[in-house]
């Protein structure tokens, strides 16, 4: 979700999520808050369907606010 997602990409993503829904685990890793995902996915019908399948039965792990790039850069300069 770093770049704008095309309609073709959304359809492909939806198909993958739909096939895996209720059949296996899927891990999503992102730097964006989950509240921003819908907008990042274009905010349309496909975004609705994708988010519907992701948020139900999900287990969320919040890794906190620590930015490892900044942390490592500070450690390397000390």
């Amino acid at each position: 979700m770093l770049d704008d997602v095309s309609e073709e990409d959304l359809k492909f993503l939806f198909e993958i999520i739909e096939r895996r829904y209720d059949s296996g685990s899927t891990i999503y890793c992102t730097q964006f808050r989950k509240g921003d995902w819908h907008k990042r996915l274009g905010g349309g019908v496909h975004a609705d369907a994708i988010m519907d399948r992701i948020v139900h039965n999900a287990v969320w792990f919040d890794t906190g606010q620590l930015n490892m790039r900044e942390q490592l850069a500070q450690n390397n300069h000390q």
Side-chain angles (χ1 to χ4, degrees):
M1 289 191 280
L2 293 175
D3 297 318
D4 290 337
V5 182
S6 71
E7 190 70 24
E8 183 178 330
D9 292 337
L10 282 173
K11 290 177 183 179
F12 181 72
L13 183 59
F14 174 75
E15 287 299 321
I16 292 171
I17 292 170
E18 179 68 14
R19 289 179 188 195
R20 296 190 55 78
Y21 187 72
D22 278 342
S23 67
S25 299
T26 306
I27 297 174
Y28 302 94
C29 300
T30 179
Q31 298 175 356
F32 297 103
R33 295 186 325 251
K34 60 186 166 187
D36 295 335
W37 289 16
H38 187 266
K39 181 180 177 183
R40 301 286 309 168
L41 291 169
V45 175
H46 280 106
D48 291 342
I50 290 168
M51 292 304 298
D52 183 57
R53 283 150 182 82
I54 291 175
V55 299
H56 297 295
N57 301 318
V59 176
W60 300 91
F61 293 95
D62 184 0
T63 58
Q65 300 298 315
L66 180 63
N67 183 321
M68 289 304 294
R69 289 186 190 114
E70 290 177 2
Q71 186 72 30
L72 291 172
Q74 289 175 0
N75 291 343
N76 289 334
H77 291 296
Q78 293 179 359

